Amino acid sequence: MSTMFRRRLTRWQAETERADLAELYAVARPGGQETADQEAFLRRLVDHDLGQPEFDMILAGDPRPAGCVWGFRVDAENAWWTAYAEPPVAPDVFVVAGLLVAPRSRRQGVAVGLVQQMLSRTRAPLALAPVEADDALAHASYGAWGWTPGGPLTPSDGSPPLRTWTLADPSRRTF
């Protein structure tokens, strides 16, 4: 096993690394993904997530990308909430918008290390992780890390509801 490094990416670096991030997305998703799914992932990341306040991204590698986490802080007035029908009352949260780990790097502490490092800098009193309802691995991971299951978060565009996980006082927590 090689040495795993983690590095924080600026918005510009994240956009520059888009091909590697799309490839990581493809291998990290169950069963792999079609090119169209990779393109939709990149559109959401570049057009939406990168522009959020306090955007943060950490990439792990060995040296190939092995994992990645990104998120941002949202308050009650943030336009991010408008993408959801009946969003929860959350005046100030840090959203863990995405977490990807390549299968070759799973069960080595990569995911938890990435999430912990990212949350260590937030000042938000609550972290929120929206997860696809059928992502059993993510649900098991957040549960094992001490996050609390929350209610559904239903996209306004008619996409399937997401299941949420929350963590109080995220900057002071270790999993």
Side-chain angles (χ1 to χ4, degrees), residues 6-18 21 24 41-42 45-46 49-50 54-60 67-72 94 97-100 114 117-118 121:
R6 290 190 299 229
R7 66 184 171 108
R8 188 164 257 109
L9 300 180
T10 65
R11 294 171 201 263
W12 179 82
Q13 288 170 321
E15 193 162 345
T16 303
E17 303 268 345
R18 64 190 303 148
L21 294 173
L24 179 61
F41 159 75
L42 286 174
L45 177 67
V46 173
D49 294 354
L50 283 174
E54 297 185 39
F55 173 83
D56 196 7
M57 178 179 268
I58 301 172
L59 180 68
C68 181
V69 66
W70 69 97
F72 41 82
F94 189 90
L99 174 62
L100 303 169
L114 286 167
Q117 182 176 348
M118 186 175 66
R121 293 178 13 146

Short mmCIF file of all heavy atoms in Angstrom, two decimals, residues 6-18 21 24 41-42 45-46 49-50 54-60 67-72 94 97-100 114 117-118 121:
data_model
loop_
_atom_site.label_atom_id
_atom_site.label_comp_id
_atom_site.label_asym_id
_atom_site.label_seq_id
_atom_site.Cartn_x
_atom_site.Cartn_y
_atom_site.Cartn_z
N ARG A 6 -3.45 13.96 1.38
CA ARG A 6 -4.68 14.74 1.27
C ARG A 6 -4.30 16.19 1.05
O ARG A 6 -3.38 16.69 1.70
CB ARG A 6 -5.52 14.63 2.55
CG ARG A 6 -6.13 13.28 2.75
CD ARG A 6 -7.14 13.28 3.87
NE ARG A 6 -6.55 13.64 5.15
CZ ARG A 6 -6.73 12.96 6.26
NH1 ARG A 6 -7.46 11.88 6.28
NH2 ARG A 6 -6.18 13.37 7.39
N ARG A 7 -4.99 16.83 0.12
CA ARG A 7 -4.73 18.25 -0.10
C ARG A 7 -6.02 18.99 -0.36
O ARG A 7 -6.94 18.47 -0.99
CB ARG A 7 -3.74 18.46 -1.24
CG ARG A 7 -4.24 18.04 -2.60
CD ARG A 7 -3.14 18.20 -3.66
NE ARG A 7 -3.54 17.61 -4.90
CZ ARG A 7 -3.88 18.29 -5.98
NH1 ARG A 7 -3.83 19.60 -5.97
NH2 ARG A 7 -4.25 17.67 -7.08
N ARG A 8 -6.07 20.18 0.17
CA ARG A 8 -7.21 21.06 -0.01
C ARG A 8 -7.10 21.70 -1.39
O ARG A 8 -6.01 22.10 -1.80
CB ARG A 8 -7.18 22.11 1.09
CG ARG A 8 -8.38 22.97 1.14
CD ARG A 8 -8.48 23.72 2.46
NE ARG A 8 -9.48 23.05 3.28
CZ ARG A 8 -9.23 22.33 4.36
NH1 ARG A 8 -8.01 22.19 4.79
NH2 ARG A 8 -10.19 21.76 5.04
N LEU A 9 -8.23 21.80 -2.10
CA LEU A 9 -8.24 22.41 -3.43
C LEU A 9 -9.01 23.74 -3.39
O LEU A 9 -10.07 23.82 -2.77
CB LEU A 9 -8.92 21.49 -4.45
CG LEU A 9 -8.32 20.11 -4.69
CD1 LEU A 9 -9.14 19.37 -5.74
CD2 LEU A 9 -6.88 20.22 -5.12
N THR A 10 -8.47 24.73 -4.05
CA THR A 10 -9.20 25.97 -4.24
C THR A 10 -10.27 25.73 -5.30
O THR A 10 -10.27 24.71 -5.98
CB THR A 10 -8.25 27.09 -4.72
OG1 THR A 10 -7.77 26.74 -6.02
CG2 THR A 10 -7.09 27.31 -3.76
N ARG A 11 -11.15 26.70 -5.47
CA ARG A 11 -12.17 26.59 -6.52
C ARG A 11 -11.51 26.40 -7.88
O ARG A 11 -11.94 25.59 -8.68
CB ARG A 11 -13.04 27.84 -6.54
CG ARG A 11 -13.87 28.05 -5.32
CD ARG A 11 -14.51 29.44 -5.35
NE ARG A 11 -14.89 29.86 -4.03
CZ ARG A 11 -16.10 29.75 -3.52
NH1 ARG A 11 -17.06 29.23 -4.25
NH2 ARG A 11 -16.36 30.16 -2.31
N TRP A 12 -10.48 27.19 -8.15
CA TRP A 12 -9.79 27.12 -9.43
C TRP A 12 -9.14 25.75 -9.61
O TRP A 12 -9.23 25.14 -10.68
CB TRP A 12 -8.74 28.23 -9.51
CG TRP A 12 -7.97 28.20 -10.79
CD1 TRP A 12 -8.36 28.71 -11.99
CD2 TRP A 12 -6.70 27.58 -11.00
NE1 TRP A 12 -7.40 28.46 -12.95
CE2 TRP A 12 -6.36 27.76 -12.37
CE3 TRP A 12 -5.81 26.90 -10.18
CZ2 TRP A 12 -5.18 27.29 -12.91
CZ3 TRP A 12 -4.63 26.43 -10.74
CH2 TRP A 12 -4.34 26.63 -12.08
N GLN A 13 -8.48 25.23 -8.57
CA GLN A 13 -7.85 23.91 -8.67
C GLN A 13 -8.90 22.82 -8.88
O GLN A 13 -8.68 21.89 -9.66
CB GLN A 13 -7.04 23.61 -7.41
CG GLN A 13 -5.78 24.42 -7.28
CD GLN A 13 -5.15 24.28 -5.91
OE1 GLN A 13 -5.85 24.23 -4.89
NE2 GLN A 13 -3.83 24.21 -5.88
N ALA A 14 -10.04 22.93 -8.20
CA ALA A 14 -11.10 21.94 -8.38
C ALA A 14 -11.59 21.93 -9.82
O ALA A 14 -11.80 20.86 -10.41
CB ALA A 14 -12.26 22.23 -7.43
N GLU A 15 -11.74 23.11 -10.42
CA GLU A 15 -12.17 23.16 -11.81
C GLU A 15 -11.09 22.61 -12.74
O GLU A 15 -11.38 21.92 -13.71
CB GLU A 15 -12.53 24.59 -12.20
CG GLU A 15 -13.27 24.63 -13.51
CD GLU A 15 -14.02 25.93 -13.74
OE1 GLU A 15 -14.24 26.71 -12.80
OE2 GLU A 15 -14.39 26.13 -14.90
N THR A 16 -9.83 22.87 -12.41
CA THR A 16 -8.71 22.37 -13.21
C THR A 16 -8.62 20.84 -13.14
O THR A 16 -8.24 20.20 -14.11
CB THR A 16 -7.39 23.00 -12.72
OG1 THR A 16 -7.51 24.41 -12.80
CG2 THR A 16 -6.21 22.55 -13.53
N GLU A 17 -9.00 20.26 -12.03
CA GLU A 17 -8.93 18.80 -11.81
C GLU A 17 -10.20 18.09 -12.28
O GLU A 17 -10.42 16.93 -11.94
CB GLU A 17 -8.71 18.51 -10.33
CG GLU A 17 -7.48 19.15 -9.73
CD GLU A 17 -6.26 18.26 -9.78
OE1 GLU A 17 -6.40 17.06 -10.03
OE2 GLU A 17 -5.17 18.80 -9.55
N ARG A 18 -11.03 18.75 -13.04
CA ARG A 18 -12.34 18.21 -13.40
C ARG A 18 -12.28 16.84 -14.07
O ARG A 18 -13.12 15.99 -13.80
CB ARG A 18 -13.13 19.21 -14.23
CG ARG A 18 -12.49 19.53 -15.56
CD ARG A 18 -13.13 20.69 -16.30
NE ARG A 18 -14.53 20.47 -16.52
CZ ARG A 18 -15.43 21.45 -16.54
NH1 ARG A 18 -15.06 22.68 -16.38
NH2 ARG A 18 -16.69 21.18 -16.75
N LEU A 21 -11.65 14.31 -11.33
CA LEU A 21 -12.83 14.21 -10.47
C LEU A 21 -13.93 13.42 -11.17
O LEU A 21 -14.61 12.60 -10.53
CB LEU A 21 -13.32 15.59 -10.07
CG LEU A 21 -12.38 16.39 -9.18
CD1 LEU A 21 -12.89 17.82 -8.99
CD2 LEU A 21 -12.19 15.71 -7.83
N LEU A 24 -12.95 9.80 -10.98
CA LEU A 24 -13.17 9.30 -9.62
C LEU A 24 -14.66 9.06 -9.40
O LEU A 24 -15.06 8.04 -8.83
CB LEU A 24 -12.62 10.28 -8.59
CG LEU A 24 -12.82 9.91 -7.13
CD1 LEU A 24 -12.12 8.58 -6.79
CD2 LEU A 24 -12.28 11.02 -6.22
N PHE A 41 -22.58 15.27 -13.39
CA PHE A 41 -21.85 15.47 -12.14
C PHE A 41 -20.98 16.72 -12.24
O PHE A 41 -20.99 17.58 -11.35
CB PHE A 41 -20.99 14.24 -11.83
CG PHE A 41 -19.86 14.50 -10.89
CD1 PHE A 41 -20.09 14.66 -9.53
CD2 PHE A 41 -18.55 14.60 -11.35
CE1 PHE A 41 -19.05 14.91 -8.65
CE2 PHE A 41 -17.51 14.85 -10.48
CZ PHE A 41 -17.76 15.01 -9.13
N LEU A 42 -20.22 16.85 -13.32
CA LEU A 42 -19.34 18.01 -13.49
C LEU A 42 -20.13 19.31 -13.62
O LEU A 42 -19.73 20.34 -13.07
CB LEU A 42 -18.43 17.83 -14.70
CG LEU A 42 -17.29 16.85 -14.50
CD1 LEU A 42 -16.53 16.65 -15.80
CD2 LEU A 42 -16.34 17.32 -13.41
N LEU A 45 -21.21 20.23 -10.14
CA LEU A 45 -20.05 20.67 -9.36
C LEU A 45 -19.59 22.06 -9.78
O LEU A 45 -19.46 22.95 -8.95
CB LEU A 45 -18.90 19.66 -9.49
CG LEU A 45 -17.61 20.03 -8.77
CD1 LEU A 45 -17.81 20.01 -7.27
CD2 LEU A 45 -16.49 19.08 -9.17
N VAL A 46 -19.36 22.24 -11.07
CA VAL A 46 -18.80 23.50 -11.56
C VAL A 46 -19.83 24.63 -11.56
O VAL A 46 -19.55 25.74 -11.11
CB VAL A 46 -18.20 23.31 -12.97
CG1 VAL A 46 -17.77 24.63 -13.58
CG2 VAL A 46 -17.02 22.34 -12.90
N ASP A 49 -22.00 23.94 -7.17
CA ASP A 49 -21.32 23.79 -5.89
C ASP A 49 -20.10 24.71 -5.74
O ASP A 49 -19.90 25.29 -4.67
CB ASP A 49 -20.88 22.33 -5.67
CG ASP A 49 -22.07 21.40 -5.53
OD1 ASP A 49 -23.22 21.87 -5.49
OD2 ASP A 49 -21.84 20.17 -5.49
N LEU A 50 -19.30 24.86 -6.78
CA LEU A 50 -18.09 25.69 -6.67
C LEU A 50 -18.39 27.14 -6.33
O LEU A 50 -17.58 27.83 -5.73
CB LEU A 50 -17.29 25.65 -7.97
CG LEU A 50 -16.46 24.40 -8.22
CD1 LEU A 50 -15.84 24.44 -9.61
CD2 LEU A 50 -15.39 24.22 -7.18
N GLU A 54 -18.00 29.74 1.15
CA GLU A 54 -17.15 28.87 1.98
C GLU A 54 -17.02 27.47 1.39
O GLU A 54 -16.95 26.47 2.11
CB GLU A 54 -17.65 28.82 3.42
CG GLU A 54 -17.60 30.17 4.10
CD GLU A 54 -17.98 30.13 5.57
OE1 GLU A 54 -17.59 29.17 6.26
OE2 GLU A 54 -18.66 31.07 6.01
N PHE A 55 -16.98 27.40 0.04
CA PHE A 55 -16.76 26.12 -0.63
C PHE A 55 -15.44 25.53 -0.16
O PHE A 55 -14.44 26.22 0.00
CB PHE A 55 -16.71 26.31 -2.15
CG PHE A 55 -16.33 25.06 -2.89
CD1 PHE A 55 -17.28 24.11 -3.19
CD2 PHE A 55 -15.02 24.82 -3.27
CE1 PHE A 55 -16.94 22.95 -3.87
CE2 PHE A 55 -14.66 23.66 -3.94
CZ PHE A 55 -15.63 22.72 -4.24
N ASP A 56 -15.42 24.23 0.09
CA ASP A 56 -14.22 23.54 0.52
C ASP A 56 -14.17 22.19 -0.18
O ASP A 56 -15.20 21.53 -0.34
CB ASP A 56 -14.25 23.36 2.04
CG ASP A 56 -12.90 23.02 2.64
OD1 ASP A 56 -11.88 23.05 1.91
OD2 ASP A 56 -12.84 22.74 3.84
N MET A 57 -12.98 21.78 -0.59
CA MET A 57 -12.79 20.48 -1.23
C MET A 57 -11.44 19.93 -0.80
O MET A 57 -10.45 20.65 -0.76
CB MET A 57 -12.84 20.59 -2.75
CG MET A 57 -12.60 19.26 -3.46
SD MET A 57 -12.68 19.39 -5.26
CE MET A 57 -14.42 19.02 -5.52
N ILE A 58 -11.44 18.64 -0.50
CA ILE A 58 -10.20 17.95 -0.15
C ILE A 58 -10.11 16.71 -1.02
O ILE A 58 -11.08 15.94 -1.14
CB ILE A 58 -10.15 17.59 1.34
CG1 ILE A 58 -10.29 18.85 2.19
CG2 ILE A 58 -8.85 16.86 1.68
CD1 ILE A 58 -10.46 18.60 3.66
N LEU A 59 -8.94 16.51 -1.60
CA LEU A 59 -8.69 15.38 -2.49
C LEU A 59 -7.64 14.49 -1.84
O LEU A 59 -6.62 14.98 -1.35
CB LEU A 59 -8.19 15.90 -3.84
CG LEU A 59 -7.86 14.86 -4.92
CD1 LEU A 59 -9.14 14.17 -5.39
CD2 LEU A 59 -7.18 15.55 -6.10
N ALA A 60 -7.89 13.18 -1.83
CA ALA A 60 -6.91 12.20 -1.34
C ALA A 60 -6.38 11.45 -2.54
O ALA A 60 -7.11 11.16 -3.49
CB ALA A 60 -7.56 11.23 -0.36
N GLY A 67 -9.93 9.53 -3.32
CA GLY A 67 -11.13 9.99 -2.65
C GLY A 67 -11.23 11.50 -2.69
O GLY A 67 -10.23 12.19 -2.93
N CYS A 68 -12.43 11.99 -2.46
CA CYS A 68 -12.66 13.42 -2.51
C CYS A 68 -13.91 13.74 -1.70
O CYS A 68 -14.87 12.97 -1.69
CB CYS A 68 -12.88 13.85 -3.97
SG CYS A 68 -13.14 15.59 -4.18
N VAL A 69 -13.88 14.87 -1.00
CA VAL A 69 -15.06 15.37 -0.30
C VAL A 69 -15.16 16.86 -0.60
O VAL A 69 -14.15 17.53 -0.75
CB VAL A 69 -14.99 15.10 1.22
CG1 VAL A 69 -13.87 15.87 1.89
CG2 VAL A 69 -16.32 15.39 1.90
N TRP A 70 -16.37 17.36 -0.72
CA TRP A 70 -16.57 18.80 -0.90
C TRP A 70 -17.86 19.22 -0.23
O TRP A 70 -18.76 18.41 -0.01
CB TRP A 70 -16.54 19.21 -2.37
CG TRP A 70 -17.69 18.74 -3.19
CD1 TRP A 70 -18.82 19.44 -3.51
CD2 TRP A 70 -17.83 17.45 -3.81
NE1 TRP A 70 -19.65 18.67 -4.28
CE2 TRP A 70 -19.06 17.45 -4.48
CE3 TRP A 70 -17.03 16.31 -3.86
CZ2 TRP A 70 -19.52 16.35 -5.19
CZ3 TRP A 70 -17.48 15.21 -4.56
CH2 TRP A 70 -18.71 15.23 -5.22
N GLY A 71 -17.89 20.48 0.11
CA GLY A 71 -19.07 21.03 0.75
C GLY A 71 -18.99 22.53 0.85
O GLY A 71 -18.04 23.16 0.37
N PHE A 72 -19.98 23.11 1.53
CA PHE A 72 -20.06 24.56 1.65
C PHE A 72 -21.05 24.91 2.74
O PHE A 72 -21.87 24.10 3.15
CB PHE A 72 -20.50 25.19 0.32
CG PHE A 72 -21.59 24.42 -0.38
CD1 PHE A 72 -22.93 24.57 -0.03
CD2 PHE A 72 -21.27 23.52 -1.37
CE1 PHE A 72 -23.92 23.84 -0.66
CE2 PHE A 72 -22.25 22.78 -2.02
CZ PHE A 72 -23.59 22.94 -1.66
N PHE A 94 -23.35 23.47 7.45
CA PHE A 94 -22.32 23.13 6.47
C PHE A 94 -22.81 21.89 5.76
O PHE A 94 -23.04 20.85 6.39
CB PHE A 94 -20.96 22.88 7.13
CG PHE A 94 -19.87 22.76 6.10
CD1 PHE A 94 -19.19 23.89 5.68
CD2 PHE A 94 -19.57 21.55 5.51
CE1 PHE A 94 -18.21 23.81 4.70
CE2 PHE A 94 -18.59 21.44 4.54
CZ PHE A 94 -17.91 22.58 4.13
N ALA A 97 -21.65 18.16 0.45
CA ALA A 97 -22.34 18.00 -0.83
C ALA A 97 -21.95 16.72 -1.57
O ALA A 97 -22.72 16.20 -2.36
CB ALA A 97 -22.09 19.21 -1.71
N GLY A 98 -20.75 16.24 -1.34
CA GLY A 98 -20.31 15.04 -2.03
C GLY A 98 -19.14 14.36 -1.36
O GLY A 98 -18.29 15.01 -0.75
N LEU A 99 -19.13 13.06 -1.43
CA LEU A 99 -18.05 12.23 -0.88
C LEU A 99 -17.87 11.05 -1.82
O LEU A 99 -18.81 10.29 -2.05
CB LEU A 99 -18.42 11.75 0.53
CG LEU A 99 -17.46 10.77 1.19
CD1 LEU A 99 -16.07 11.39 1.37
CD2 LEU A 99 -18.02 10.32 2.55
N LEU A 100 -16.67 10.93 -2.37
CA LEU A 100 -16.36 9.84 -3.29
C LEU A 100 -15.10 9.14 -2.84
O LEU A 100 -14.11 9.80 -2.50
CB LEU A 100 -16.12 10.40 -4.70
CG LEU A 100 -17.22 11.21 -5.35
CD1 LEU A 100 -16.71 11.89 -6.62
CD2 LEU A 100 -18.42 10.33 -5.66
N LEU A 114 -11.21 12.33 5.28
CA LEU A 114 -11.56 13.46 4.44
C LEU A 114 -12.66 14.31 5.08
O LEU A 114 -12.55 15.53 5.18
CB LEU A 114 -12.02 12.98 3.06
CG LEU A 114 -10.94 12.48 2.12
CD1 LEU A 114 -11.56 11.75 0.92
CD2 LEU A 114 -10.06 13.62 1.65
N GLN A 117 -11.41 16.14 8.26
CA GLN A 117 -10.53 17.27 7.95
C GLN A 117 -11.34 18.45 7.41
O GLN A 117 -11.11 19.60 7.79
CB GLN A 117 -9.46 16.87 6.93
CG GLN A 117 -8.49 18.00 6.62
CD GLN A 117 -7.37 17.56 5.69
OE1 GLN A 117 -7.17 16.37 5.44
NE2 GLN A 117 -6.64 18.53 5.17
N MET A 118 -12.31 18.19 6.55
CA MET A 118 -13.10 19.27 6.00
C MET A 118 -13.92 19.97 7.09
O MET A 118 -13.96 21.19 7.17
CB MET A 118 -14.03 18.77 4.89
CG MET A 118 -14.76 19.92 4.21
SD MET A 118 -15.77 19.40 2.81
CE MET A 118 -16.99 18.41 3.64
N ARG A 121 -12.69 22.82 9.95
CA ARG A 121 -12.56 24.27 9.74
C ARG A 121 -13.88 25.03 9.73
O ARG A 121 -13.88 26.24 9.71
CB ARG A 121 -11.84 24.52 8.41
CG ARG A 121 -10.42 24.07 8.44
CD ARG A 121 -9.67 24.23 7.18
NE ARG A 121 -10.25 25.05 6.13
CZ ARG A 121 -9.56 25.80 5.30
NH1 ARG A 121 -8.26 25.85 5.41
NH2 ARG A 121 -10.15 26.48 4.35
#
